[in-house]
Every structure is written in C-alpha cells, then in structure tokens.
Amino acid sequence: MKILAIDSSGLVASAAVLEDGLLLAEYTVNYKKTHSQTLLPMIDEISRMLELDLNSLDAIAVAGGPGSFTGLRIGSATAKGLGLALDKPLISVPTVDALAYNFCGTERLICPMMDARRSQVYTGLYRFRGEEFQVVLPQRAEGVEKMAERLNQMGESVILLGDGAAVYENRLKELLAVPWIMAPAHLNRQRAGAVGALAEKYFAEGRLQTAAEHRPEYLRMSQAERERAAREGKDAV
C-alpha cells in the first residue's frame, strides 16, 4: 500500500509518501511561503527523488481540517485534483488527530492546539493505550481558558503542542494546575508523515472517499462569514 499525504492546514506545508508502514520521504517547510507556492513543487520534488509514478499510489491522504481556511482549501484542491486525475480515493484525516499522532506511544495525555485567533484554539484530547490511539475529546474550536479548565479537571500530566500552544504559552502557564510539557521542535507542528501514518489505519478500515466527495472540515465560520452574520444580526461561531 502506497499513500501520498498532504498537510497545508496551518503555517506548515508538508508532503510525504508512505509505503507499507515505511516513511519513504517527507518534505516540510515552515517559512514565510504560501502553500500555493510550495505544495505542488514539494510533491514534484518527492516524486522525482523517489522516481515515483503517481499512478502507483493507492490513495491520497489530506489533512481535512480544521485549520487555516486558505490552507485547507489549497490542500483540498490539490488532493482532489490529483485524485480526479489519477482516479485514486482520498483519505481525509482530522488535522488535530494527526498532530496528536506525533506522540504515538506516550503515556501522557496529548493536547494539540492550533491558533484559531480571538483567544480560541482548534484542539482536542488524545491518549495511547499501548498502540491503540484513543480520542478522548474530539477536535473542536474552544477558548483557551475553557481548554485549560478541562485539562485541570482531567488531573493528568499533559503534552501541549501546535502553534496555538506557543501563542498562548504564557497564559497557559498561569491557568494550568496540572504537570505539562511543551513538545520539542521536531514534533510540535503538522507533519504529512503523521497524516499518512493515520491514513494507513483508515485505509485498512475502509474509511475512503472519492475526490468529488471530499470537503474540508472548517469547524467554524470564516472571518468574512462572521462579519456578514454580525451585520445580519445572527450568531457567529
């Protein structure tokens, strides 16, 4: 089984190829470039270095959200375009789940946080029981203070990761009463390798979709939609 994985859900752009549980290549950039500039050249470079025939892929995995609205649309469009052109199925992997999967095997609670602005983060809670990956709290948009309250109620040592954890680190120091550590740099951001590793499990479970079916999961309105809702006197999420 061979999978091309893509993640452009946040500031990081990442592409990877996995085959039968082995990470063959991964290309990740987190430096002042738009994903429209980086994603396709990264895929092209990986394909060239691996002498990869894209027709040999079994599926294309993509970080399906939440995250940056623009980034998700670029990743979705790239995956859908490749899926349609190559007639390959897509595997949509929840972005926050894939972030948590960086810490496979840890005994600590895992709390990814992606900055969603307005003192909110895209977050969730996860743990491993041996090799079993468990979703304790499904991904959601949540206030930083509310999430810190949840963690304090859990009463467990926790790993924090993601750009949201970095943005709100000083506030979290004030709010958290449980032991916690910040993930190191090499595990602290989105990685297509983690998206692909989870996608291999989803593939085995038959969690596939066609390119035409795929839609990103935004979890909340875009800024433009919120502003329109405010003008119309509606509640914005």
Side-chain angles (χ1 to χ4, degrees):
M1 179 173 56
K2 190 179 294 181
I3 292 175
L4 170 67
I6 298 167
D7 193 330
S8 60
S9 58
L11 297 175
V12 173
S14 187
V17 175
L18 296 89
E19 184 174 16
D20 297 332
L22 180 66
L23 179 62
L24 298 183
E26 186 176 36
Y27 192 159
T28 299
V29 174
N30 182 22
Y31 186 75
K32 301 179 183 179
K33 299 288 185 182
T34 64
H35 299 328
S36 59
Q37 292 176 287
T38 56
L39 200 54
L40 283 174
M42 289 162 63
I43 294 170
D44 183 64
E45 179 66 11
I46 284 176
S47 300
R48 186 182 67 80
M49 292 294 290
L50 294 178
E51 300 180 352
L52 174 67
D53 178 1
L54 292 178
N55 286 295
S56 69
L57 295 171
D58 293 290
I60 298 161
V62 60
S68 155
F69 285 77
T70 300
L72 288 175
R73 288 176 182 135
I74 291 170
S76 175
T78 301
K80 286 167 73 74
L82 289 170
L84 288 169
L86 300 170
D87 192 26
K88 303 295 181 181
L90 267 57
I91 305 170
S92 183
V93 177
T95 304
V96 182
D97 294 27
L99 255 174
Y101 206 67
N102 280 335
F103 282 90
C104 180
T106 184
E107 295 181 357
R108 294 176 185 258
L109 194 64
I110 308 165
C111 181
M113 293 183 176
M114 297 173 62
D115 186 17
R117 309 278 177 90
R118 304 167 73 207
S119 296
Q120 285 196 325
V121 288
Y122 297 122
T123 186
L125 291 174
Y126 306 84
R127 72 167 81 251
F128 282 89
R129 297 295 190 192
E131 296 183 1
E132 182 187 358
F133 182 52
Q134 297 181 345
V135 179
V136 178
L137 183 74
Q139 62 178 22
R140 63 193 55 212
E142 186 121 283
V144 174
E145 293 189 1
K146 177 64 176 177
M147 199 58 194
E149 181 183 338
R150 287 185 187 276
L151 290 171
N152 288 336
Q153 290 172 350
M154 295 287 290
E156 299 182 42
S157 179
V158 61
I159 298 173
L160 302 178
L161 68 153
D163 58 9
V167 168
Y168 299 108
E169 183 174 3
N170 289 335
R171 185 65 179 134
L172 289 165
K173 286 178 181 178
E174 298 172 356
L175 294 169
L176 288 175
V178 294
W180 61 277
I181 61 170
M182 188 71 71
H186 66 296
L187 297 173
N188 207 319
R189 295 293 188 271
Q190 290 89 339
R191 290 184 56 187
V195 172
L198 259 183
E200 288 187 324
K201 293 182 177 293
Y202 292 175
F203 189 98
E205 295 168 3
R207 295 167 63 175
L208 307 172
Q209 57 186 190
T210 66
E213 291 171 334
H214 175 70
R215 296 288 185 278
E217 185 177 3
Y218 298 112
L219 289 188
R220 65 177 212 179
M221 296 179 182
S222 67
Q223 181 176 344
E225 289 171 324
R226 292 196 301 271
E227 291 174 352
R228 183 177 65 188
R231 289 195 300 270
E232 296 174 353
K234 300 176 181 177
D235 292 332
V237 178

